[in-house]
C-alpha cells in the first residue's frame, strides 16, 4: 500500500517518499511524516534468518513505496558494503547484563553512518525518479558526527555538492580532524563562531529563503538536507532496531514476542524516534529510554510536559548530544497532538518565539512509552570507568550517557527486561574523554598516543577511519560568523 508523506505544520498536498527525500523539509517549515506507520509484513522468525541488507529491504520497502524493488535493493547494496568493517553491519555485544548495539562500524565510526551511507543513493535515485536536472546541494549543520558521515557519503557523488557547517569550538579534536581532512571535489567544510543550534538555525534560514531558492534554480542548483530531519535518514534507522531484536531471537536470548527495552543516547531525537517507529510497526519493544547529557531539555520535557530551551548551553564530553532544540521531537508532538498540524504548528511557533511550549495533559498521557533521564559529566565518566574495570569493554561518552541512564532506570523501576543500548560511537572517536575517564594519568598524552593506548587497553584494533587521519593534510580551513553562512554557501557555488 502506498505511503504518502505530509507536513507536521499544514494539511497541504501529501508527497511521495522520493519527493520528501528530495525536499528534506516541507516548504512550510514542517517535517515530513508518513501518513500512517506500516506494520511489518514478515514474521520475526522469517526476519531472524536474514542478513542486515535483507532486513533493511523488508523495513524500508514499507516506507519508500514509490521506489521499485530494484532501485531500493541497489541503494541498500551500495550502502552496506565493505565500508563497514564487519559483515554484520550492526553487531550486538553483551556487557554487564545489557546488549550494546554497536552502530559505529561504518566509514566514520559513529551511528550517523547507518543512515548517511544510504542517503546519497536514496537521494540520487529520488532525483532521477523526479526528473531533477539541477545539481543537488546538501547543506548540513553538524554537532560533530553528521558532518563527517555526510561528507563521506556524498564525496564525489555525481550531481551533488555538500556544504557542512560545524561549531568551531564545539566538536572533539578527532571529529574536527576527520572533517577538515575530507577529500572530494564537491565537499566544503566551514567552522562557525557559534554553537550547534546557531549552525542549525542558520541552515534552516537558508532553506527557508525563497528568493535564494529561485536564484539557485536559475543557476542550476537546488538545496537538500542530510540532517536527521530528512525522512531518508529516519527510515534506515528503523532497520537496526528490527535487526537487533531478531538477532536476540535467533540467538535465543529472548523468546518470540518478548518485550525488550531500548536505551538511546539522544540529541536531535532522530535515533530514538526510529525506535518508536519500530515499536509502532509491531516490534515488541516496551520502554523507549531517552538518555540526555547535561543539556537535559528532553528529560525536563518528559518530566513536566514543558519543552524549554531557555537555559545555558553546556559543552559536554558527548558533543553530538549538545543540543537544545531536538528537531525530530516535532514528529512525536505532531502525533500526540492527534496528527493535527494546526496544534503542532502553534507549539512550534511558541518554541520559535519564546523558546518554550507546554503540551496538554491529554498529550502527555500518550508519552507512556518513554522514560527520560540524564547523566552528569561525572556520572558519564564513572560509567566508562566502571564498565571497563568490571568487563574490559570500552564505550564512548555518548553510549556511556545511555548506560548510566539505563542503570538509573533499573534502580527506579526494578524493571529488568532484556535491554538494547544503542552504542552510537566508537570510543576511538572520543579518545581523550574516554581515556581520561578510565584513568586521569592519561591526560598528558598526545591524541594519537592515546589512540594506541586505547587499543592496548581495549584489545580492539585501531579503526581504519582513525588510521586515515593520523597523517592526512588539512584541506578545509574556512571559518565564518553565523551571519555569513548564506554568503559562504554562495561563494562556494560561485554564484
Ligand atoms: C548524533 C549522535 C547522537 C544523537 O542522535 P540523535 O538522533 O540526534 O538523537 C548520539 N550519539 C552520537 C555519537 C551521535 O553522533
Amino acid at each position: 500500500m502506498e505511503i504518502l508523506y505530509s507536513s507536521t505544520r499544514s494539511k497541504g498536498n501529501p508527497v511521495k517518499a522520493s519527493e520528501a527525500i528530495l525536499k528534506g523539509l516541507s516548504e512550510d517549515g514542517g517535517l515530513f511524516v508518513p501518513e500512517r506507520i506500516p506494520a511489518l509484513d514478515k514474521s520475526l522468525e522469517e526476519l531472524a534468518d536474514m542478513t542486515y541488507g535483507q532486513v533493511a529491504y523488508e523495513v524500508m520497502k514499507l516506507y519508500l513505496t514509490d521506489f521499485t524493488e530494484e532501485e531500493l535493493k541497489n541503494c541498500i547494496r551500495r550502502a552496506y558494503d565493505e565500508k563497514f568493517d564487519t559483515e554484520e553491519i550492526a553487531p550486538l555485544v553483551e556487557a554487564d547484563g545489557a546488549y550494546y548495539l554497536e552502530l559505529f562500524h561504518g566509514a566514520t565510526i559513529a551511528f550517523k553512518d547507518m543512515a548517511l551511507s544510504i542517503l546519497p543513493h536514496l537521494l540520487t535515485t529520488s532525483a532521477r525518479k523526479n526528473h531533477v536536472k539541477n545539481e543537488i546541494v546538501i547543506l548540513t549543520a553538524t554537532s560533530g558526527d553528521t558532518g563527517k558521515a555526510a561528507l563521506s557519503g556524498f564525496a564525489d557523488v555525481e550531481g551533488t555538492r555538500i556544504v557542512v557547517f560545524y561549531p568551531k569550538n564545539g566538536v572533539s579534536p578527532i571529529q574536527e580532524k576527520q572533517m577538515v581532512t575530507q577529500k572530494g571535489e564537491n565537499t566544503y567544510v566551514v567552522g562557525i563562531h557559534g554553537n550547534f543550534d546557531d549552525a542549525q538555525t542558520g541552515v534552516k534560514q537558508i532553506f527557508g529563503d525563497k528568493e535564494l531558492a529561485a536564484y539557485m534554480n536559475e543557476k542550476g542548483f537546488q538545496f537538500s538536507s542530510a540532517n536527521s530531519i530528512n525522512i531518508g535518514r529516519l527510515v534506515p534507522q528503523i532497520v537496526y532496531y528490527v535487526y537487533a531484536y531478531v538477532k536476540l531471537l535467533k540467538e535465543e536470548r529472548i523468546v518470540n514476542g518478548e518485550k525488550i527495552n531500548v536505551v538511546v543516547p539522544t540529541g536531535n531525537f532522530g535515533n530514538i524516534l526510529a525506535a518508536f517507529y519500530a515499536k509502532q510497526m509491531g516490534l515488541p519493544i516496551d520502554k523507549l529510554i531517552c538518555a540526555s547529557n547535561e543539556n537535559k531539555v528532553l528529560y525536563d520535557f518528559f518530566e513536566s510536559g514543558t519543552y524549554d530551551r531557555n537555559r545555558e548551553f553546556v559543552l559536554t564530553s558527548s558533543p553530538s548530544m549538545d543540543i537544545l532544540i531536538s528537531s525530530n521531537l516535532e514528529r512525536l508532538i505532531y502525533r500526540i497532538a492527534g496528527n493535527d498540524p494546526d496544534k503542532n504548528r502553534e507549539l512550534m511557533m511558541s518554541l520559535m518565539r519564546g523558546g518554550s511550549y507546554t503540551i496538554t495533559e491529554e498529550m502527555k498521557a500518550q508519552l507512556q512509552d518513554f522514560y527520560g533521564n540524564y547523566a552528569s559529566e561525572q556520572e558519564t565518566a564513572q560509567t566508562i570507568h566502571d564498565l571497563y574495570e568490571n568487563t574490559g569493554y570500552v564505550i564512548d561518552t555518548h553510549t556511556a550517557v545511555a548506560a548510566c541512564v539505563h542503570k538509573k532506570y533499573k534502580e527506579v523501576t526494578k524493571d529488568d527486561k532484556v535491554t538494547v543500548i544503542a552504542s552510537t560511537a566508537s570510543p576511538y572517536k572520543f579518545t581523550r574523554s574516554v581515556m581520561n575517564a578510565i584513568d586521569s594519568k592519561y591526560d598528558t598524552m598526545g591524541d594519537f598516543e592515546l589512540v594506541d593506548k586505547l587499543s592496548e587497553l581495549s584489545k580492539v584494533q585501531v579503526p581504519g577511519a582513525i588510521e586515515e587521519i593520523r597523517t592526512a593534510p588539512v584541506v578545509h580551513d574556512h571559518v565564518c560568523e553565523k551571519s555569513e553562512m548564506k554568503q559562504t554557501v554562495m561563494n562556494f557555488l560561485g554564484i
Side-chain angles (χ1 to χ4, degrees), residues 110-112 145 265-271 320-321 396 398 424-425 430:
F111 101 95
K112 304 292 194 293
D145 291 332
T266 299
N268 228 350
F269 210 76
N271 201 359
S320 303
M321 296 156 64
D396 97 292
H398 302 74
T424 51
F430 301 94

Side-chain angles (χ1 to χ4, degrees), residues 302-321:
F302 284 118
E303 284 291 294
S304 68
T306 295
Y307 192 96
D308 186 358
R309 63 150 304 178
N310 298 309
R311 61 182 72 207
E312 203 183 325
F313 181 91
V314 189
L315 287 178
T316 72
S317 58
S318 45
S320 303
M321 296 156 64

Side-chain angles (χ1 to χ4, degrees), residues 17 20 40 55 89 126 153 170 181 201 208 248 251 271 315 373 441 472-473:
L40 287 167
V55 174
I89 306 296
S126 298
T181 56
T201 302
L248 287 171
E251 291 174 1
N271 201 359
L315 287 178
N373 212 325
K441 74 179 180 204

Side-chain angles (χ1 to χ4, degrees), residues 109-112 143-146 175 228 233 237 240 264-273 298 318-321 323 326 328 396-399 422-426 429-430:
I109 59 176
F111 101 95
K112 304 292 194 293
S143 56
D145 291 332
T146 296
Q175 285 180 315
S228 68
R233 287 263 312 260
Q237 292 179 178
Y240 45 76
V264 187
T266 299
N268 228 350
F269 210 76
N271 201 359
I272 193 164
L273 187 74
L298 286 166
S318 45
S320 303
M321 296 156 64
I323 289 172
S326 301
N328 269 296
D396 97 292
T397 44
H398 302 74
T399 309
S423 180
T424 51
S426 159
K429 200 151 188 173
F430 301 94

Side-chain angles (χ1 to χ4, degrees), residues 123-144:
L123 198 64
T124 46
T125 305
S126 298
R128 250 194 322 276
K129 294 174 79 64
N130 289 281
H131 313 290
V132 170
K133 299 279 186 300
N134 285 338
E135 200 168 344
I136 292 172
V137 181
I138 301 295
L139 200 56
T140 291
T142 184
S143 56

